[in-house]
């Protein structure tokens, strides 16, 4: 069992930055690949970024590539999402996710555990 708690969301102006954190409970955190997803009002949840269990592999949605960076600290049981050059279209609830495999961490259908989410609002 893995419990995930996100933090770091808030209101920021376009062009600004935020860093989201996702703290995981449980001793098996390092065995899971982790992902970030987001859901804007009236839209489906979409994949943002994923990182392998070791941190050696990462993958990003085209919409955030070059602006967002995913990382993890397996000692602190935490995964991060550094978001730079934020745009109003990045406004959404951001959720972290844990999955058994790197590819599975990119697909909502195969995620094993979800956090509750943190709101990110980018004003123009």
């Amino acid at each position: 069992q893995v419990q995930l708690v996100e933090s770091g969301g808030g209101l920021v102006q376009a062009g600004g930055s935020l860093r989201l954190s996702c703290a995981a409970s449980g001793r098996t955190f390092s065995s899971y690949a982790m992902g970030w997803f987001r859901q804007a009002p009236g839209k489906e949840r979409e994949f943002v970024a994923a990182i392998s269990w070791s941190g050696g592999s990462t993958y990003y949605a085209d919409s955030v590539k070059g602006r967002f960076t995913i990382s993890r600290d397996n000692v602190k049981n935490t995964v991060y999402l550094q978001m730079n050059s934020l745009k109003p279209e990045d406004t959404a609830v951001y959720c972290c996710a844990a999955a058994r495999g790197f590819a599975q961490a990119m697909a909502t259908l195969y995620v094993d555990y979800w956090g509750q989410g943190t709101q990110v609002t980018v004003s123009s």
Side-chain angles (χ1 to χ4, degrees), residues 69-82:
T69 302
I70 189 170
S71 61
R72 67 188 295 162
D73 185 332
N74 285 343
V75 173
K76 295 182 178 180
N77 280 9
T78 302
V79 62
Y80 305 96
L81 186 67
Q82 177 67 43

Side-chain angles (χ1 to χ4, degrees), residues 9-115:
L11 174 65
V12 64
Q13 288 188 331
S17 298
L18 282 174
R19 188 175 84 153
L20 305 183
S21 299
C22 173
S25 65
R27 294 175 293 176
T28 59
F29 171 76
S30 61
S31 66
Y32 284 88
M34 299 297 294
W36 285 96
F37 292 77
R38 67 187 182 186
Q39 187 167 20
K43 295 187 177 181
E44 292 187 354
R45 183 176 290 178
E46 65 174 359
F47 167 75
V48 175
I51 188 166
S52 61
W53 67 269
S54 68
S57 297
T58 58
Y59 190 79
Y60 299 91
D62 287 343
S63 58
V64 306
K65 199 172 296 182
R67 300 188 297 122
F68 291 10
T69 302
I70 189 170
S71 61
R72 67 188 295 162
D73 185 332
N74 285 343
V75 173
K76 295 182 178 180
N77 280 9
T78 302
V79 62
Y80 305 96
L81 186 67
Q82 177 67 43
M83 305 186 295
N84 298 328
S85 302
L86 283 161
K87 305 175 181 179
E89 51 263 44
D90 294 319
T91 295
V93 174
Y94 284 71
C95 296
C96 67
R100 284 294 185 181
F102 183 44
Q104 287 82 354
M106 305 176 199
T108 57
L109 185 62
Y110 298 106
V111 166
D112 293 297
Y113 301 102
W114 291 99

Side-chain angles (χ1 to χ4, degrees), residues 112-124:
D112 293 297
Y113 301 102
W114 291 99
Q116 290 186 320
T118 185
Q119 176 71 46
V120 171
T121 303
V122 184
S123 63
S124 57

